[in-house]
Amino acid sequence: MQCIPSLDRARCGSFGRCGRLPTKAKLISRGIIPVEDHFCAFGCGAVESAQHVFLSCTFSGSLWSLISSWIGSSLVTAQTLSEHFVQFTISAGGTRARRSFMQLIWLACVWVVWTERNHRLFRGSAVSSLHMLDKIKMFSYRWLKATRSSLALNCHSWWSSPMLCLGFV
């Protein structure tokens, strides 16, 4: 099994600086949107911040739970994005290939959550957490196929058991 291409640490680390994301809390503090528009785009009723959108919102929390079930890892309960990234990355074991795989999944999840948040805000559209999980599966599958064409990945196998598909079990 070839090692999954390592993701650039700078890109991974940049998600730890999510204070730079234009969440509603940031937009309010800059006077861009009114104070009454501070609620989470996922409809949970909490104030929208980066930590909330990606980790503590009930909607994104259910997505992390689905991801953990899909890949067969334990659920990470860290409360900061940087801690979550580190704990999630090591939750499947210590080999470099496993850590790279987990980084890929984490980044795909964060990307899907943020784009879904933007679709809800700016397009008025919404999809379920199961649909978001499918997007994460598809993005990660396509990324691996594009970067390692020699990997014998079957989409159906990937959908059901990515760890087995990559030879990690």
Side-chain angles (χ1 to χ4, degrees):
M1 157 75 214
Q2 292 182 8
C3 188
I4 297 170
S6 191
L7 297 172
D8 180 42
R9 286 210 175 267
R11 273 186 267 153
C12 298
S14 69
F15 283 102
R17 296 187 300 271
C18 282
R20 300 175 73 192
L21 287 172
T23 61
K24 288 184 176 183
K26 282 289 182 188
L27 296 174
I28 289 168
S29 71
R30 294 177 186 154
I32 297 171
I33 63 172
V35 175
E36 56 272 5
D37 289 344
H38 69 284
F39 294 113
C40 175
F42 294 112
C44 67
V47 173
E48 184 186 273
S49 67
Q51 300 300 110
H52 174 77
V53 168
F54 296 114
L55 301 178
S56 59
C57 177
T58 53
F59 188 83
S60 57
S62 69
L63 183 60
W64 286 113
S65 180
L66 289 169
I67 288 169
S68 293
S69 295
W70 171 54
I71 59 179
S73 70
S74 57
L75 189 61
V76 175
T77 58
Q79 295 303 308
T80 67
L81 284 166
S82 56
E83 288 174 4
H84 193 274
F85 175 76
V86 170
Q87 287 181 15
F88 187 83
T89 298
I90 62 173
S91 67
T95 68
R96 181 177 177 206
R98 284 177 184 235
R99 288 190 312 269
S100 282
F101 165 72
M102 295 301 280
Q103 288 173 355
L104 167 65
I105 300 303
W106 194 88
L107 290 170
C109 184
V110 168
W111 173 257
V112 167
V113 167
W114 187 251
T115 55
E116 175 61 18
R117 176 254 188 205
N118 287 340
H119 287 158
R120 287 173 185 235
L121 278 179
F122 303 116
R123 295 183 182 170
S125 63
V127 297
S128 70
S129 54
L130 286 173
H131 188 249
M132 289 173 65
L133 176 63
D134 285 345
K135 286 182 178 183
I136 292 163
K137 290 176 179 183
M138 184 54 71
F139 285 143
S140 58
Y141 175 78
R142 287 181 177 168
W143 188 84
L144 284 172
K145 287 297 280 185
T147 57
R148 292 284 196 230
S149 57
S150 61
L151 284 177
L153 292 178
N154 170 303
C155 191
H156 177 71
S157 299
W158 183 256
W159 235 252
S160 59
S161 181
M163 297 294 243
L164 183 62
C165 200
L166 293 171
F168 292 160
V169 240

